[in-house]
Amino acid sequence: MADGTGDNRPGDHDVIADPSWFAEGFDPRSGEFLFVKTNREQLAAQAFLDWRWDRASAPRLRLARTALPALRMGHPPPRLIWHTGFCCSTLIAKSLDRPGVNLSLCEPQLLVDVAEAQRIERAPQRADSDITHAAFALLSRPQSAGERVTIKSSPAANRLLRTAGSTGPSLFLYSDCRSFLISIVKMGEDGRKYARRLFLALLADGHAQAQWPAPQLLSLSDLELAALVWHMQIAEFRRAWPTFAPDRAASLDCDALLAEPEECLHRLDSFFSLGIGGDHLKQVVAGPLFRRNAKTGEDAFDADRRSIAHERIAQGLGNNLARIVAQSYEICRTTPRNTPLPAPLLSLDKNYCP
């Protein structure tokens, strides 16, 4: 039974049938999905559909997991963007958002909650799969007839790849290890905390690093640990890749997007079968979205400024940056030293390991 307030509280079916009741999270203790009343404009405006999204005054309710066994995806499955972080994922998602055609959802908390519930509960694989598919079905409810949904997941939810092979087409988006480390440094203390929190989450996902002795892990610097986080994410991508049909998985180095944004978005529009159209995408690339920080919408920022900022940080790190990247490849030997994933959406000639 839906748990809300007021005499006109909607029933379970009404909540599921009404996409304005957005599935904002999952409570593993009670086994309930959490919903908030919102609209398309609010959803599309958020860079993060998590605790950073202010919806304190909006109506909310809960729906028991047991009320969802009959939930079926009676609409096109979501298009999915999985990513390593710091790889222009928000920019891509927002570039693909077009009312009536495609709604882009950026890092919904629901998927992070479901991934964390799997880590905590250690539920049987079938139970994991049922919860995951229910989450994707709830998120992919179109806000208007004919509109598709693209979900940019959070890196903390990448373990859901293991049960996502039967959903819609997936883009595996990444930065290189060097750029990932530079982005961590750019964020300062927040970046270092982020890398450590993500590392602790990924340790529960069966990576080799979980078997390392604690003294070995504690001896690593923040950047050395961040480098391992990058490799662990690539390992998750590579582990899940064979579960996808060949025409339903593509990879992309974010530098390819920055080098040829219009061509890249055109190919992604085709791969996801969104139908946004070349003329609209050309306007997007020429517009303000590519001239500002996609997360904040405030800073004057583009590919050239990004490159200059990265090189300034790299110079400050000196030889340590190349050393840490090279060392990480020696430790994580399953990561290819060339292009880390197959089927690139747009090829790029690049040296990944110094």
Side-chain angles (χ1 to χ4, degrees), residues 177-186 223 226-227 321 324-325:
C177 185
R178 180 179 183 272
S179 296
F180 184 84
L181 297 183
I182 289 173
S183 295
I184 292 290
V185 174
K186 184 180 178 183
L223 282 188
L321 181 58
I324 292 172
V325 173

Side-chain angles (χ1 to χ4, degrees), residues 259-275:
E260 298 185 60
E262 189 176 327
E263 176 62 22
C264 187
L265 291 177
H266 176 75
R267 293 190 185 194
L268 189 52
D269 183 26
S270 177
F271 172 67
F272 278 163
S273 300
L274 296 176

